């Protein structure tokens, strides 16, 4: 009997490949819970254009308080969904995602709410407004965050003040230059700069970027020549004009 070695070899190779594929599929589809215990918790907290309130240590503290911190726990007892739901209860968390790996790691990714302005209103309310115009409770002070004072209701803060603050933070120059927003009784806005002894009046909280750009040009072509302390009050409320009030007793 003649044996077709070439055909037999191809059959053997096919069987070996099939066996490998079966083992590979089985290995890759092995559930995460195959690892015995959680050996490491990797926490990634996204940062924004300004400092937020949360750190990896604070995330761990929140999970420990709710008794869902996964380190050293059996992998089959760890619920990624419960960890996500626990974190998303926090007023400082925008979104949380959690997943387990086959080697015993639990990975947590947190997108935090980013404060854009600290409100200290005349009515006694203190709170933060985040980049999405949501109210955040007072927690701790964020360094170099602009402070808003004056006649500020929560509706005004969420509708108008958040727009002004976001406009300032989107521009590195104004983020560093403006330290305070003051809201007058009629809802118009003053800005207090870090450099210079003047107040910038922008009027209604609309068209803020356009007004700021006009003020930037005045800084470049006006104050750089006349002196930064020559004027006490500079209004860019209206298009195509800048109204300045000189400092008293100064020519």
């Amino acid at each position: 009997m003649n044996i077709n070695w070439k055909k037999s070899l191809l059959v053997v190779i096919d069987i070996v490949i099939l066996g490998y594929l079966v083992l590979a599929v089985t290995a890759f589809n092995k559930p995460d819970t195959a690892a015995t215990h959680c050996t490491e918790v990797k926490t990634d907290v996204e940062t924004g254009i300004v400092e937020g309130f949360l750190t990896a240590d604070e995330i761990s503290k929140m999970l420990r308080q709710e008794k869902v911190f996964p380190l050293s726990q059996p992998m089959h007892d760890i619920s990624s969904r419960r960890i996500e739901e626990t974190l998303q209860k926090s007023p400082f968390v925008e979104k949380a995602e959690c997943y387990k790996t086959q080697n015993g790691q639990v990975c947590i990714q947190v997108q935090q709410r980013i404060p854009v302005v600290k409100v200290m209103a005349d009515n006694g309310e203190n709170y933060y407004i985040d980049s999405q115009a949501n109210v955040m409770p007072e927690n701790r002070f964020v360094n170099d965050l602009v402070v808003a004072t004056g006649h500020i209701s929560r509706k005004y803060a969420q509708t108008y003040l958040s727009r002004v603050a976001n406009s300032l933070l989107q521009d590195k120059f104004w983020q560093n230059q403006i330290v305070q927003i003051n809201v007058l009784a009629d809802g118009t806005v003053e800005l207090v700069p870090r450099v210079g002894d003047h107040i910038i009046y922008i009027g209604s909280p609309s068209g803020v970027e356009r007004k700021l750009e006009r003020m930037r040009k005045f800084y470049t072509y006006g104050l750089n020549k006349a002196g930064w302390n020559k004027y006490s009050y500079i209004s860019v409320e209206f298009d195509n004009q800048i109204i300045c009030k000189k400092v008293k007793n100064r020519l």
Side-chain angles (χ1 to χ4, degrees):
M1 181 176 67
N2 295 326
I3 300 176
N4 189 331
W5 293 105
K6 185 176 181 180
K7 183 176 181 181
S8 299
L9 181 61
L10 290 174
V11 171
V12 171
I13 291 174
D14 288 341
I15 292 174
V16 171
I17 292 175
L18 179 61
Y20 172 78
L21 291 175
V22 170
L23 290 174
V25 170
T26 302
F28 281 116
N29 286 279
K30 191 175 182 180
D32 294 344
T33 52
T36 54
H37 289 73
C38 172
T39 58
E40 183 182 9
V41 179
K42 299 181 67 175
T43 304
D44 178 28
V45 181
E46 292 186 14
T47 56
I49 53 180
V50 296
E51 180 185 356
F53 292 113
L54 298 177
T55 64
D57 288 341
E58 288 165 332
I59 294 297
S60 298
K61 182 178 179 181
M62 291 166 58
L63 295 177
R64 291 182 191 278
Q65 288 177 339
E66 297 297 323
K67 303 187 186 305
V68 292
F69 190 67
L71 187 63
S72 301
Q73 298 300 312
M75 292 296 282
H76 61 78
D77 289 341
I78 298 171
S79 170
S80 297
R81 183 172 181 178
R82 187 180 176 193
I83 290 174
E84 292 173 350
E85 291 175 345
T86 297
L87 293 176
Q88 288 178 169
K89 291 178 183 178
S90 169
F92 306 109
V93 173
E94 179 73 28
K95 184 179 180 181
E97 293 183 353
C98 177
Y99 62 91
K100 299 181 286 183
T101 67
Q102 294 179 12
N103 61 355
Q105 289 182 336
V106 174
C107 301
I108 302 171
Q109 296 178 332
V110 175
Q111 180 180 339
Q112 61 178 322
R113 297 186 186 278
I114 300 298
V116 295
V117 60
K118 163 72 172 176
V119 178
M120 301 178 67
D122 285 353
N123 60 13
E125 289 191 310
N126 293 334
Y127 53 89
Y128 291 92
I129 296 293
D130 73 6
S131 57
Q132 303 300 317
N134 298 304
V135 174
M136 301 172 64
E138 186 179 20
N139 184 30
R140 59 180 174 83
F141 189 74
V142 178
N143 293 332
D144 296 328
L145 189 66
V146 65
V147 175
T149 58
H151 294 68
I152 307 172
S153 66
R154 294 209 173 195
K155 182 178 180 181
Y156 183 96
Q158 292 181 273
T159 305
Y160 301 109
L161 189 58
S162 60
R163 297 178 189 173
V164 177
N166 274 309
S167 295
L168 296 175
L169 290 177
Q170 293 303 319
D171 188 300
K172 196 67 177 179
F173 173 80
W174 292 114
Q175 181 182 348
N176 293 325
Q177 172 67 346
I178 301 302
V179 295
Q180 183 179 344
I181 302 170
N182 187 49
V183 180
L184 304 179
D186 60 358
T188 57
V189 175
E190 296 175 332
L191 304 178
V192 181
R194 188 185 305 274
V195 179
D197 292 332
H198 55 273
I199 299 296
I200 303 170
Y201 180 70
I202 66 172
S204 64
S206 60
V208 177
E209 292 85 356
R210 185 177 67 253
K211 296 172 182 178
L212 290 176
E213 184 58 28
R214 193 157 68 253
M215 187 64 205
R216 187 204 301 270
K217 291 179 180 178
F218 184 66
Y219 274 161
T220 303
Y221 302 108
L223 293 189
N224 279 342
K225 296 180 180 179
W228 283 67
N229 297 322
K230 182 175 182 178
Y231 303 108
S232 61
Y233 208 79
I234 302 172
S235 172
V236 290
E237 177 183 12
F238 302 111
D239 291 340
N240 303 317
Q241 64 175 325
I242 298 176
I243 302 173
C244 302
K245 181 180 179 181
K246 288 185 177 181
V247 175
K248 291 182 178 180
N249 301 324
R250 183 173 297 175
L251 298 178

